[in-house]
Amino acid sequence: MSFRTTATDYVEDVSPGSGALPPRAWYASSDATSLSLNGSWRFRLSATVDAEDDSFAAEGYDAGDWAEVSVPGHWVLQGHGSPIYTNHLYPFPVDPPRVPTENPTGDHVRTFDLPSEWPSDGGAVLRFDGVESCARVWLNGTDIGEFKGSRLPHEFAVGHLLKPSGNVLAVRVHQWSAGSYLEDQDQWWLPGIFRDVTLLHRPAGSALDFFVHASYDHLAGEGTLRVDSDVDGRVLVPALDIDVATGEPVTVPVRPWTAETPRLYDGELVTEGERVPLRIGFRTVALEDGLIKVNGRAILFKGVNRHEWHPEKGRALDLETMREDVLLMKRHNINAVRTSHYPPHPAFLDLCDEYGLWVIDECDLETHGFTEQAWRDNPVDDDRWTPALLDRTARMVERDKNHPSVVIWSLGNEAGTGRGLTAMAEWIRGRDTSRLIHYEGDIDCRDTDMYSRMYADHAEVERIGRGLDGGGLKRRELPFILCEFGHAMGNGPGGIADYQHLFESYDRVQGGFIWEWIDHGIKDERYTFAYGGDFGEELHDGNFVCDGLVFPDRTPSPGLVEYKKVIEPVRIDGDGPAGTVRVQNAYDFADLADLADLADLAFEWSYQVDGETVETGALSVPALAPGESAEVKLPAPPVDGRGAETQWTVRAVLAADTAWGPRGHQVAWVQLPLNDGALTQVARSDGPVPGEQVITLGPAAFDARTGALRTIGGVDVTGLRLDVWRAPTDNDNGAPWQPDARYGLLWRKLGLHRMRHRLDAVELGDDALTVRTRVAPAAWEVGLRTVYRWTSDGTRLRLTVSVSPEGDWTLPLPRLGIRLGLASSADRVKWFGGGPGEGYPDTKSASMVGRWESTVDELQTPYVRPQENGARADVRWAEIGGLRVEGDPSFWFTARRWTTEQLDAAEHLTDLAPGDTVWVNLDHGQQGIGSQSCGPGALPQYQLRATPAEFSFVFSEIHD
């Protein structure tokens, strides 16, 4: 037997590979025998494609001294080499289809025996569900082929090569290949066999490929089923009394499949040699009246982009992790997923079918790095690459065509334009007319069925909704979606409630998909979670890979909680004083009395007095069809709330357990105020008393020279002064292509992180202590004249801060308020205001007013790259470290065990060490968040402009 020693041309060949079987439909199981080859494999890493010969693939080769890796898995996450993160720049010279000689190559070996029940007749297929980026395969010493297309399945006929025991499967995987030019998808570059490897017995007469056509006529209430199969057989659906031959249509009354009502019928495809389970969902997707419609109704996408990610396993996801994603989405009112930017593990689509999510299934294609050379030599406009593009298209469509959740095919992402994309669209239309086609880069909609954009700002979305966006006639007649918006990087995204208002105001605008689902942080003992550059990459894009609605460990971020509130499928509003509630069913299909065929919604009210619930009850709401609304009456207020702040809270919750949420799970809520609470009054009964070193005023002591507050009763206070700086968020820092609005950088240039405080006067009046200052950055003429006026009634201390800007302030301020320090023993925090999580001017839709309690540490939001976080909005009062602070009428409250400057300097969570002081910010105003890390900044109404301001706080010591 001979082996090649230098035949590696396939690595740089633009073809998709050789030896693989034609693509076909994927199914999880059948009655045919199968053998998982997942598990521990022997592994050897080489620096180049030709450092080792092929002898390792031979029978009898001893790989016993090799390392071991887990399959599915990535070798760089198992101690062999390092991951690389780039957003769109190729981490190798752009010279298509050539790749570097330094090309990490992993040789994998797995020895296996056939199980005793393995049939002796028929054939067998070896299936790889995902290998990055190029693989060559041998079985028992025979070279059976090579392939590219990392996130796509490849099968090989191997029955003639199998033996009962001692089978040797050898796979050589190359990190870089010609295929890498098609896979520049804003993610970690992670080589390896990262999806399942399976051996499938193929009995004589077994199913080959089949296509389940299951349409729904919404006028007749009937579904038509036809299963086309390469092998003749019968289709059985017991619940519908269907028993027909393959290829024969049958029409019966059915309940349709939608993302809200995911009705699936269990069936079987029975051929001579195999029984294949089917899960059939009847639905029809169409472009009608310029809208995307399913079963005759326009739908509104409340979606997310989802990369596959696990903080320890990378893209090697197990079924339970995938299920966790789907359940989290459903519980946060998300109804759609764009599989950015490749087909997901096929089991994920099974879960979308089962639980109900609309899916845009995206091809494994992105050539974004070619933008650096004005798209010159872009593969999608080069006929040599078209076979590879069509191969990727076919492998996606054929694998996933039987999933009712897949309603749109996407040609790929950020690959420019070209003939290859047109060829892909034409192939799809020739194969599957039951779905629509998407591609954001097709600005003229030549090949697509919708106008799709990324990160269009609110004003442009409104113009598009009104039909004033320009473009060709075809584009203006098509529906519009934002395939990416609300960049969820770090603290944010802000402004999504304003987007949702536009989506619901214009029929043409059919929603969007937040970028993205999960932070791609890699678990790392050095940093908690690592991001780009933490592995010594010479070229990287930092923490741009951490831009998700859930943290790497899948803990929901405040952004996900906000999104859940913004996209509630039940709209509740009303008039608190009048005691009326208006409920609207904002689902596209589900009746509120029959949600998802699984459970009713229950409505309940509660009545709060100064943030404390005093009574609760059930609220009777009639069954509402989609789009319908009803006004219902609340009971009379259960207590007299005069002199207190009172409000109603109305909730919609699941009345029983469902497949995705437990009984009592909150779907929607609203708070309706009745009476405002009385403002805290501090009569000026005490005047300042001068001393040699201190000035006393009521319960407080001040430094006699500077007027600085030292104590309030027995509570030590340090460093109280005006504060305008916050550790810039990723969205503050913005994107390079928007230099005039990168406020984080502009603030730093102006010096707002190093403001100087000049003391101008300390004045003792009859009833007040007044401290006059000027707060300004070095090197600039702008400043803030700041006056602190202190008064007291003997037990309480009132501070009124007056701020007057001087000079030409062209930038908004990060924040405006005061900062003070308390002893490190300050730990428990209680407050009446927004909670339980953080909120900022354009991210506080989910902030519920009530009484909350936390520790200082629990107030922090652990963004992978530390930044401004943890502010509680609309706080009426807060208690911490023996001190009570009341607003006039409310404020933003933040407390942390490190200074803002320390937070600003930190690159990772492990850089933050608790100090001897708890630093508290009491803010009159905060700059909005926006999503300018890759989108629009904070809207004007959420910007904190430097204008004259006056705000007050009342301090008192808490006596237990």
Side-chain angles (χ1 to χ4, degrees):
M1 184 176 298
S2 62
F3 297 89
R4 281 192 288 262
T5 56
T6 59
T8 58
D9 290 347
Y10 65 90
V11 174
E12 296 181 333
D13 191 336
V14 299
S15 74
S18 64
L21 295 169
R24 65 184 180 111
W26 183 89
Y27 48 93
S29 63
S30 73
D31 65 344
T33 305
S34 65
L35 175 65
S36 172
L37 297 178
N38 294 347
S40 180
W41 290 49
R42 291 292 179 177
F43 176 78
R44 176 181 65 187
L45 181 63
S46 304
T48 64
V49 298
D50 56 359
E52 302 285 348
D53 62 26
D54 301 344
S55 60
F56 78 101
E59 295 179 273
Y61 184 90
D62 183 6
D65 60 346
W66 287 17
E68 293 186 61
V69 294
S70 293
V71 171
H74 306 278
W75 70 68
V76 294
L77 297 183
Q78 300 183 62
H80 306 278
S82 299
I84 299 169
Y85 167 62
T86 60
N87 168 25
H88 75 277
L89 298 174
Y90 290 106
F92 47 79
V94 179
D95 183 22
R98 305 298 301 277
V99 294
T101 300
E102 297 82 15
N103 189 351
T105 295
D107 291 334
H108 300 68
V109 176
R110 174 79 149 86
T111 301
F112 65 92
D113 300 332
L114 295 180
S116 58
E117 66 272 17
W118 192 270
S120 58
D121 62 331
V125 166
L126 177 63
R127 182 181 184 91
F128 295 89
D129 279 308
V131 182
E132 182 175 330
S133 72
C134 173
R136 193 169 200 96
V137 185
W138 296 262
L139 180 61
N140 291 331
T142 298
D143 182 347
I144 60 175
E146 83 282 340
F147 61 89
K148 307 177 190 75
S150 298
R151 268 66 69 175
L152 296 162
H154 294 83
E155 292 183 330
F156 297 88
V158 296
H160 60 294
L161 299 175
L162 292 172
K163 55 187 181 178
S165 62
N167 293 283
V168 178
L169 176 58
V171 184
R172 173 164 284 174
V173 180
H174 309 285
Q175 175 156 16
W176 311 122
S177 70
S180 301
Y181 284 99
L182 305 180
E183 297 172 4
D184 186 22
Q185 293 146 323
D186 185 12
Q187 60 182 338
W188 293 97
W189 298 87
L190 298 174
I193 305 172
F194 67 94
R195 287 185 184 162
D196 306 284
V197 182
T198 312
L199 186 68
L200 304 168
H201 179 241
R202 299 283 77 210
S206 61
L208 297 178
D209 190 23
F210 58 91
F211 198 159
V212 178
H213 303 272
S215 61
Y216 179 70
D217 184 335
H218 65 280
L219 298 176
E222 295 177 329
T224 298
L225 175 67
R226 187 185 82 245
V227 179
D228 295 333
S229 175
D230 288 359
V231 176
D232 291 341
R234 299 199 69 78
V235 179
L236 312 177
V237 188
L240 298 175
D241 294 325
I242 291 177
D243 182 349
V244 297
T246 53
E248 287 188 16
V250 57
T251 300
V252 293
V254 298
R255 300 193 68 178
W257 188 96
T258 74
E260 298 163 8
T261 57
R263 184 64 166 92
L264 293 172
Y265 292 90
D266 290 327
E268 271 192 316
L269 169 61
V270 181
T271 68
E272 177 186 352
E274 189 175 18
R275 302 179 76 95
V276 180
L278 305 176
R279 303 204 76 191
I280 303 165
F282 291 88
R283 58 104 185 95
T284 294
V285 184
L287 180 64
E288 294 178 351
D289 306 318
L291 299 173
I292 300 167
K293 292 186 178 182
V294 178
N295 303 337
R297 295 185 187 177
I299 60 176
L300 184 63
F301 292 115
K302 302 171 181 178
V304 291
N305 288 272
R306 175 186 176 269
H307 268 295
E308 293 187 304
W309 187 252
H310 187 282
E312 297 174 84
K313 302 175 183 177
R315 286 188 286 278
L317 297 192
D318 58 89
L319 180 62
E320 286 313 305
T321 298
M322 291 184 268
R323 190 185 307 275
E324 184 179 354
D325 277 349
V326 172
L327 292 177
L328 272 173
M329 291 175 188
K330 293 292 290 187
R331 291 169 185 166
H332 287 84
N333 296 329
I334 289 165
N335 72 1
V337 176
R338 175 178 174 230
T339 68
S340 52
H341 298 296
Y342 42 82
H345 190 291
F348 179 77
L349 298 179
D350 282 344
L351 295 169
C352 294
D353 295 341
E354 177 183 352
Y355 292 101
L357 288 168
W358 308 118
V359 175
I360 297 181
D361 197 359
E362 193 148 271
C363 194
D364 190 10
L365 172 62
E366 181 169 338
T367 64
H368 200 174
F370 284 90
T371 188
E372 295 298 311
Q373 53 196 65
W375 298 104
R376 186 175 62 257
D377 298 326
N378 185 10
V380 304
D381 200 30
D382 184 334
D383 292 340
R384 295 175 301 165
W385 293 82
T386 300
L389 302 182
L390 293 176
D391 180 78
R392 289 169 183 251
T393 304
R395 292 188 183 280
M396 171 183 70
V397 171
E398 301 296 5
R399 191 196 75 169
D400 298 341
K401 59 181 178 283
N402 295 327
H403 290 282
S405 58
V406 177
V407 293
I408 296 171
W409 301 117
S410 178
L411 303 181
N413 184 68
E414 293 177 317
T417 58
R419 301 184 298 274
L421 291 164
T422 298
M424 294 167 68
E426 290 175 348
W427 186 94
I428 291 174
R429 289 198 169 93
R431 178 57 172 153
D432 178 22
T433 59
S434 69
R435 295 176 174 92
L436 304 181
I437 295 178
H438 166 271
Y439 177 64
E440 181 268 343
D442 185 7
I443 199 71
D444 295 321
C445 302
R446 178 183 63 181
D447 301 319
T448 56
D449 296 310
M450 62 207 68
Y451 178 30
S452 176
R453 287 284 303 283
M454 298 178 180
Y455 308 108
D457 64 27
H458 300 77
E460 184 176 4
V461 171
E462 181 162 21
R463 288 195 300 272
I464 292 169
R466 296 173 62 190
L468 303 177
D469 54 303
L473 177 62
K474 179 184 178 184
R475 189 179 87 183
R476 294 200 305 274
E477 292 178 341
L478 292 177
F480 174 77
I481 65 169
L482 275 171
C483 68
E484 295 179 20
F485 82 109
H487 198 251
M489 186 177 179
N491 188 334
I496 57 175
D498 306 88
Y499 272 117
Q500 190 65 24
H501 175 73
L502 294 170
F503 298 163
E504 295 177 5
S505 298
Y506 298 100
D507 291 343
R508 182 192 180 192
V509 181
Q510 292 194 253
F513 297 77
I514 293 285
W515 185 268
E516 64 163 311
W517 175 242
I518 188 168
D519 287 342
H520 303 200
I522 294 176
K523 188 174 181 180
D524 190 297
E525 62 182 13
R526 299 170 298 169
Y527 308 122
T528 306
F529 295 110
Y531 50 77
D534 288 338
F535 298 97
E537 306 102 299
E538 63 180 11
L539 186 69
H540 66 85
D541 285 290
N543 69 310
F544 203 70
V545 77
C546 294
D547 46 15
L549 291 172
V550 298
F551 296 124
D553 62 0
R554 284 179 163 74
T555 300
S557 76
L560 180 58
V561 178
E562 175 82 355
Y563 195 39
K564 175 187 178 181
K565 175 62 181 167
V566 165
I567 60 175
E568 287 174 340
V570 180
R571 295 300 189 192
I572 312 173
D573 57 20
D575 185 328
T580 57
V581 176
R582 183 178 179 84
V583 178
Q584 180 186 15
N585 180 353
Y587 284 102
D588 293 323
F589 297 92
D591 188 310
L592 293 191
D594 188 22
L595 179 62
D597 295 334
L598 296 170
D600 297 350
L601 282 181
F603 291 81
E604 55 191 35
W605 60 264
S606 59
Y607 185 78
Q608 288 84 39
V609 176
D610 284 338
E612 291 191 303
T613 297
V614 298
E615 195 164 333
T616 64
L619 187 67
S620 179
V621 176
L624 298 173
E628 288 186 345
S629 61
E631 192 170 276
V632 296
K633 195 72 176 174
L634 289 163
V639 298
D640 185 351
R642 282 180 294 183
E645 181 175 349
T646 57
Q647 66 182 12
W648 299 97
T649 299
V650 179
R651 294 178 171 88
V653 301
L654 293 180
D657 292 345
T658 72
W660 52 265
R663 179 178 182 271
H665 168 78
Q666 184 170 278
V667 174
W669 60 273
V670 73
Q671 291 187 308
L672 305 173
L674 279 80
N675 301 312
D676 293 332
L679 295 178
T680 301
Q681 300 296 322
V682 178
R684 301 175 184 178
S685 60
D686 281 21
V689 178
E692 184 175 340
Q693 294 186 337
V694 299
I695 301 168
T696 59
L697 176 62
F702 299 81
D703 186 283
R705 184 179 62 84
T706 65
L709 178 65
R710 288 183 172 181
T711 61
I712 299 176
V715 179
D716 291 334
V717 179
T718 61
L720 189 151
R721 63 185 188 180
L722 189 79
D723 192 13
V724 299
W725 180 244
R726 74 183 187 194
T729 68
D730 292 313
N731 287 306
D732 287 337
N733 285 332
W737 53 89
Q738 298 170 311
D740 294 337
R742 301 185 71 184
Y743 289 131
L745 280 62
L746 296 172
W747 290 334
R748 200 179 301 277
K749 179 180 178 181
L750 183 58
L752 298 190
H753 62 305
R754 48 175 175 78
M755 299 290 274
R756 300 292 184 259
H757 296 251
R758 187 184 74 204
L759 177 63
D760 287 343
V762 177
E763 301 171 353
L764 279 69
D766 291 340
D767 61 357
L769 169 65
T770 302
V771 180
R772 301 184 184 278
T773 70
R774 187 175 190 269
V775 183
W780 299 90
E781 63 178 355
V782 296
L784 300 169
R785 285 280 180 185
T786 305
V787 178
Y788 308 90
R789 181 177 175 83
W790 299 93
T791 58
S792 177
D793 62 1
T795 58
R796 294 175 296 178
L797 187 68
R798 183 183 186 90
L799 167 63
T800 298
V801 182
S802 301
V803 179
S804 301
E806 296 179 337
D808 186 13
W809 284 89
T810 59
L811 296 176
L813 295 173
R815 69 174 354 126
L816 182 65
I818 62 170
R819 181 171 74 172
L820 57 91
L822 300 175
S824 61
S825 58
D827 183 49
R828 300 300 304 181
V829 182
K830 297 180 181 179
W831 75 96
F832 172 27
E838 72 183 26
Y840 292 82
D842 55 351
T843 67
K844 63 174 186 170
S845 298
S847 185
M848 180 180 284
V849 173
R851 291 201 185 196
W852 308 101
E853 188 169 350
S854 173
T855 65
V856 169
D857 292 339
E858 289 168 345
L859 289 176
Q860 314 311 307
T861 304
Y863 295 113
V864 174
R865 187 193 73 80
Q867 56 198 272
E868 166 63 33
N869 73 90
R872 268 53 181 183
D874 303 315
V875 174
R876 281 71 163 160
W877 56 258
E879 295 178 348
I880 178 173
L883 191 66
R884 179 181 174 94
V885 185
E886 298 170 75
D888 183 10
S890 63
F891 56 94
W892 268 275
F893 174 83
T894 310
R896 54 176 66 103
R897 298 189 181 280
W898 34 79
T899 65
T900 300
E901 291 74 19
Q902 289 167 329
L903 180 63
D904 185 16
E907 295 293 331
H908 297 88
L909 291 170
T910 48
D911 295 334
L912 294 170
D916 295 331
T917 304
V918 171
W919 292 99
V920 177
N921 277 92
L922 310 173
D923 289 317
H924 171 67
Q926 279 267 0
Q927 167 78 356
I929 298 297
S931 64
Q932 201 157 4
S933 51
C934 192
L939 289 167
Q941 61 266 37
Y942 305 122
Q943 294 182 9
L944 181 62
R945 290 293 167 180
T947 57
E950 184 172 282
F951 48 94
S952 299
F953 305 98
V954 175
F955 301 90
S956 57
E957 184 181 8
I958 302 169
H959 298 282
D960 295 330

